[in-house]
Amino acid sequence: MRISVMIGEVRGPADRDDLLSQATAARGLDGIWSAQALGWDALTTLVLAGGHAPGVPLGTAVVPVRQRHPLTLAGQALSIQAATGGRLTLGIGAGIGAMTGAMFGLPADRPARYLREYLQILRPLLRGEPVAHSGEFLTAMGTVDVPAPAPQVLLAALGPAMLRLAGEAADGTVTWMTGPHTLESHIVPRITAAASAAGRPAPRVVAALPVCVTADPDAARARIAERFAMAARVPEYRAALDRENAAGPQDVAVVGDEETVARALRRLAGTGVTEFVAAPLGDPAEQQRAVELLTGLAGAAGDRRSS
C-alpha cells in the first residue's frame, strides 16, 4: 500500500506559504493529493505543490463535476499534466447533492447515470480525441489540444451503482471517511468484480482519512467530530459510516500515538486498498508528527516493494 498525504484547507485554513510548506514536507511520501472544498482550487493547488515536491505523484480527491463541463475539466487536467510532467491522477465525483443544489442551483439527481455520460465525454478528450456528443445530460462538441498524456481517472464511489461504474469506466475509486471494514467487505470486492467483468485491469483503490498523531486522542476525536459534522448527516457519507457502525467521522479517523496509527495503517493495507491518503489534523506539532511517521512508513513500504 502506497502512503500519501493531503494538502490544503482540509487540514485547516491554508495560505500559499502553508501549501508550499506542506508540499515540501511531503517529498518523502508516495503522493500529494488536494481536495476541492470551498476555497483553493484543487488543480491549481497541485501546480503549486508540484514545483516544491519534484517527482512526487499528484492527485485530486476529488473535483465535483456538475459545475465543470467535461471540455473545461479536460483542458484543466491536461494543462496540469503538461505543467507537472505527467504526474496527475484526476479524481472526480458527483459532489454532495445538497451542496450542488443549494450552492450552484444545479440538479443532483441520478448521479451514477450523469457520471457515466460524463466519463464517455471526458476520457476521449483526455486522450486528445474529438467528441461530438448530445446526450441525456450533456452536450459536448470539440477537442482539447494540449500535448500531455491522459491522466488516470478515479471516481468517488461509495454505493453499489457508483462502484460498478468506477470498475467499468474508470481506473479505480477514491474514498473519504470510509473505514477498514467497509473498504474490505464492500468497496474493494465490488469495484474489483466490476472491473474484472468489464475486462479491465485491477482497479486502484485510494482511501483518504483524517489522521492525528497525538497524546490526547479523545480531544482529537472531539475536534474531528465538530469539524466534519456535516459528513455524519449527508446521505453520501452516512451510509458508509453506518456500514462501519460509526457514529461519525471521529470513529473512522486514524488517531493516537505513533504505534496506534502505524497499526491502523497496517490494518488498512490488509483491506486491499492500494493507496492511503492521510489528511493530517491538529496543531502544527501534531501535524508534523503525523507527516514524519507517514514518511517513515512510506519509506519502509517502498523498500519492501523494491526488494
Side-chain angles (χ1 to χ4, degrees):
M1 183 181 74
R2 297 167 62 84
I3 299 174
S4 301
V5 71
M6 196 82 73
I7 68 169
E9 62 191 305
V10 71
R11 295 167 58 167
D15 60 20
R16 177 181 178 275
D17 290 341
D18 294 323
L19 292 178
L20 298 184
S21 175
Q22 291 171 8
T24 299
R27 288 176 177 174
L29 291 165
D30 294 319
I32 294 172
W33 294 76
S34 178
Q36 183 66 53
L38 302 179
W40 283 92
D41 177 73
L43 287 160
T44 305
T45 296
L46 294 180
V47 176
L48 289 173
H52 284 72
V56 179
L58 309 167
T60 57
V62 295
V63 175
V65 299
R66 291 273 189 175
Q67 58 268 38
R68 298 200 198 202
H69 190 277
L71 275 162
T72 300
L73 183 57
Q76 291 174 316
L78 289 174
S79 297
I80 301 300
Q81 279 288 69
T84 62
R87 288 187 272 159
L88 177 67
T89 292
L90 181 62
I92 65 171
I96 295 173
M99 293 178 67
T100 299
M103 294 180 64
F104 298 99
L106 295 171
D109 60 321
R110 296 171 290 173
R113 286 177 63 178
Y114 179 87
L115 277 169
R116 184 176 293 276
E117 185 174 334
Y118 195 100
L119 287 166
Q120 290 170 354
I121 302 168
L122 178 68
R123 303 216 66 173
L125 290 172
L126 292 174
R127 296 192 295 266
E129 301 169 6
V131 298
H133 179 94
S134 180
E136 181 181 6
F137 302 101
L138 293 158
T139 297
M141 305 286 174
T143 189
V144 176
D145 187 15
V146 179
Q152 286 198 323
V153 178
L154 305 183
L155 190 62
L158 295 175
M162 207 68 82
L163 286 165
R164 183 169 58 252
L165 175 60
E168 293 172 349
D171 298 299
T173 186
V174 55
T175 67
W176 174 240
M177 295 297 183
T178 306
H181 170 73
T182 303
L183 289 163
E184 185 174 42
S185 65
H186 173 66
I187 301 293
V188 172
R190 283 184 180 271
I191 190 173
T192 301
S196 177
R200 294 181 54 81
R204 292 174 63 182
V205 179
V206 179
L209 287 170
V211 172
C212 186
V213 180
T214 179
D216 192 349
D218 291 340
R221 291 190 187 279
R223 293 195 304 268
I224 292 167
E226 180 179 6
R227 181 167 177 195
F228 296 105
M230 185 178 72
R233 297 193 297 268
V234 299
E236 290 87 346
Y237 294 124
R238 186 64 260 169
L241 291 168
D242 287 344
R243 287 181 185 275
E244 205 72 23
N245 291 320
Q250 69 277 9
D251 294 330
V252 295
V254 181
V255 177
D257 61 15
E258 280 81 356
E259 176 52 37
T260 300
V261 171
R263 186 166 58 248
L265 265 61
R266 290 192 294 270
R267 168 73 177 98
L268 284 165
T271 66
V273 164
T274 61
E275 184 170 354
F276 174 66
V277 181
L281 301 180
D283 62 33
E286 289 170 329
Q287 292 200 28
Q288 182 177 351
R289 284 178 68 182
V291 172
E292 289 175 353
L293 173 63
L294 294 164
T295 301
L297 295 172
D303 291 342
R304 289 193 296 272
R305 288 196 297 267
S306 60
S307 61

